[in-house]
Amino acid sequence: MLSLAERSPRPSAQRLLADLVPPPQFATARFDTYRPDPAQPTQATALAELEDLAARTTAPRQGNGVLGKLFGAKKAENGKPLGAYLDGGFGVGKTHLLVALYKAVAATGADAAYGTFVEYTNLVGALGFRQAVDALTAKTLVCIDEFELDDPGDTVLMARLLRELADAGVALAATSNTLPDALGEGRFAADDFLREIQAVGSRFEILHVDGEDYRHRGMPQPPDPLSDEVVRRAAQAGGAGAALDEFPALASHLATVHPSRYGALLDDVSSVHWTGVRQLSEVSVALRTVVLVDRMYDRDLPLTASGIALDEMFTEKMLASGYRKKYRRAVSRLTAMAREGVEQVDAG
């Protein structure tokens, strides 16, 4: 049986580049599999706009080669920028649409990259800024999921990266989250995003996507915690790909693994099992846990857990802090994975 706390992967820079593809969680995501909510017209609008962006991204540009890519991209058709920013709450389908855009462009033979904000900042850290720019300017489209405004340094770094990519004619698409209780209040995330990236902002069309979190439709709370015994039995039933860890030990171990390696930490893992889940009191530990949860969710890994309820993992102070969007996203994703884990336990 596997233990994440006993793993210390060291993926190469080439591995980080190769991993810039949509996660298995969204294997079936296409434009034609996105189902806009009739009660939320912004969802249908976003779908149509991204389909249009895919067509414009892959349309022949003026000239050939690097110069054609550069100067052909300067003039957006009908005044539309060759880029889109999806602004909205959790679980409204923004990532589905971003993956669908990536796949529509890649299906034409064009080279595209897809990753989260954190994965791109980690890539720059691993390769160096100039080498990362060189690698990404070879792409026709760069998709950035979960653009974050929490760290000013990282935001400035990404702003510079996006400016260079846009100037090189690379099409850009990004998503971010406004807080559920802030929807309709001036598009907080979009305004901050445009202000931070300044000149690059003109390259994006802002698409606000309204709706409720699909992960919470009919299941507003995570399942009740299981017993340690049930979690261990579920791990044993999970076979060679099951990873069983005591949660406190795993949380401590994450401090020894760079977040860029959390994806590799989950190589060959098919299910995750935690005993003794407890509330996290340190922000650094909580943020590392959020990154791990994101990578688990990307891989569609079922989760079983004992200890406290998963929606109690982060303190009330954390849920009211500047990082609250990350913590709330993590709770949403933990809920989805735990529901799947409980279903497997019940079926077994």
Side-chain angles (χ1 to χ4, degrees):
M1 189 178 301
L2 302 174
S3 169
L4 301 183
E6 295 177 359
R7 291 183 155 193
S8 297
R10 296 186 177 277
S12 66
Q14 290 71 29
R15 161 75 185 270
L16 295 177
L17 277 170
D19 282 349
L20 291 179
V21 296
Q25 167 72 13
F26 295 93
T28 62
R30 302 286 193 282
F31 285 137
D32 60 5
T33 61
Y34 182 73
R35 298 289 181 264
D37 184 346
Q40 304 290 348
T42 57
Q43 295 184 11
T45 298
L47 172 61
E49 291 293 341
L50 286 194
E51 288 177 320
D52 176 66
L53 175 59
R56 290 187 291 117
T57 296
T58 55
R61 302 184 188 180
Q62 302 171 12
N64 296 309
V66 175
L67 290 179
K69 184 178 182 181
L70 175 60
F71 294 107
K74 292 296 185 180
K75 297 179 180 179
E77 296 180 10
N78 300 321
K80 284 188 175 182
L82 202 64
Y85 170 68
L86 300 178
D87 171 42
F90 305 101
V92 296
K94 301 187 307 298
T95 297
H96 183 129
L97 288 169
L98 192 66
V99 172
L101 173 64
Y102 169 96
K103 291 182 177 179
V105 170
T108 69
D111 198 4
Y114 180 101
T116 64
F117 179 93
V118 171
E119 287 173 314
Y120 284 109
T121 57
N122 289 336
L123 179 70
V124 172
L127 298 184
F129 184 81
R130 182 47 49 193
Q131 189 176 348
V133 169
D134 291 344
L136 293 175
T137 51
K139 309 293 184 182
T140 298
L141 169 71
V142 169
C143 297
I144 307 163
D145 200 15
E146 299 165 7
F147 199 101
E148 299 175 357
L149 298 168
D150 303 309
D151 186 302
D154 283 347
T155 302
V156 171
L157 173 70
M158 284 299 292
R160 181 184 170 198
L161 177 65
L162 292 183
R163 282 197 298 272
E164 297 220 15
L165 295 181
D167 287 344
V170 178
L172 303 171
T175 73
S176 191
N177 294 315
T178 53
L179 297 174
D181 56 0
L183 291 175
E185 296 181 6
R187 296 182 182 178
F188 166 79
D191 290 343
D192 282 356
F193 180 74
L194 290 177
R195 182 170 60 251
E196 291 294 337
I197 64 175
Q198 299 176 354
V200 180
S202 62
R203 306 298 181 98
F204 286 84
E205 179 181 7
I206 306 301
L207 301 172
H208 192 68
V209 187
D210 297 301
E212 63 175 311
D213 187 338
Y214 75 89
R215 290 180 292 265
H216 286 177
R217 293 169 191 166
M219 51 177 194
Q221 294 181 333
D224 293 335
L226 303 171
S227 68
D228 288 353
E229 181 182 358
V230 170
V231 171
R232 293 192 181 101
R233 283 206 308 264
Q236 292 173 350
L244 173 64
D245 287 277
E246 295 181 2
F247 183 77
L250 175 59
S252 296
H253 178 66
L254 292 180
T256 70
V257 182
H258 191 275
S260 65
R261 303 172 186 170
Y262 287 6
L265 192 70
L266 296 167
D267 282 352
D268 304 318
V269 173
S270 58
S271 60
V272 176
H273 309 270
W274 293 340
T275 57
V277 173
R278 66 183 184 188
Q279 191 169 71
L280 302 173
S281 58
E282 296 181 17
V283 172
S284 59
V285 178
L287 292 177
R288 286 192 291 266
T289 302
V290 167
V291 177
L292 178 64
V293 169
D294 286 342
R295 301 292 79 78
M296 289 165 51
Y297 183 77
D298 286 345
R299 288 156 178 76
D300 198 17
L301 299 178
L303 169 68
T304 63
S306 66
I308 64 171
L310 293 172
D311 59 355
E312 298 174 1
M313 182 182 295
F314 306 106
T315 66
E316 289 299 322
K317 184 177 180 180
M318 289 177 180
L319 294 173
S321 72
Y323 294 116
R324 57 193 181 275
K325 68 178 182 181
K326 293 186 178 183
Y327 301 137
R328 294 184 183 186
R329 183 183 72 226
V331 170
S332 175
R333 292 180 168 185
L334 285 166
T335 297
M337 292 186 290
R339 290 283 176 174
E340 185 177 353
V342 168
E343 288 176 1
Q344 292 188 1
V345 168
D346 291 343

